[in-house]
Each structure stands twice: as C-alpha cells, then as structure tokens.
Amino acid sequence: MAKYKAAPHYVISGGIEFTAFGTYETEDADKIALLNSLAPLWITRVDKPEEPAQVDEVEAEDKPVKAPAKPRKANATSSAK
C-alpha cells in the first residue's frame, strides 16, 4: 500500500484522481511506479516505502572492530564555582 498527497482533486492520466482532501492510496505496482516518478515535484509520498536494508557483507568484514569508549572523568581543576 502506498499513500500520496497532492492538491485536492488532482488528476493524473490513467485514472488516478486524488480525493477532496488531496490523498490517494493504491496497491497497484504500475501506479506506484508512476506516482513515485512524479514525487517530489508534483506530489508527495506520505508513507515510507518498505525496502529491505541491504548490507554489503564484504564491506562489513573489512572494517576493523572498534572498542567501546571509556567514560571520561571530570577535571579536578574546573573553574566553575
């Protein structure tokens, strides 16, 4: 499901018409692709697209593991009184 916002009663060729509140929802992949191509110039997608996070395993293995930082103690010669 994809949710979009535009001007009230905004119409796009192909049968896409926004409501009086300027909203439109669809599950049709072709319509989602068309609407995404028009965003953000003419319309706004108000939901976040569900895309799985992709991590490059080779890149993750090459990075060195960093030790956690130790907490720092306050300086005894502080000028704040």
Side-chain angles (χ1 to χ4, degrees), residues 54-67:
Q54 296 178 354
V55 177
D56 190 357
E57 293 179 19
V58 175
E59 185 178 315
E61 292 175 3
D62 292 341
K63 293 182 180 178
V65 177
K66 202 175 194 182

Side-chain angles (χ1 to χ4, degrees), residues 9-67:
H9 300 291
Y10 187 72
V11 177
I12 299 171
S13 63
I16 299 173
E17 183 175 344
F18 286 76
T19 67
F21 299 107
T23 60
Y24 183 80
E25 296 180 18
T26 185
E27 293 182 1
D28 186 335
D30 293 333
K31 289 181 180 179
I32 291 172
L34 173 63
L35 292 166
N36 284 342
S37 70
L38 298 173
L41 294 175
W42 303 104
I43 62 173
T44 304
R45 185 161 183 177
V46 293
D47 68 330
K48 298 208 176 196
E50 296 177 9
E51 295 179 11
Q54 296 178 354
V55 177
D56 190 357
E57 293 179 19
V58 175
E59 185 178 315
E61 292 175 3
D62 292 341
K63 293 182 180 178
V65 177
K66 202 175 194 182

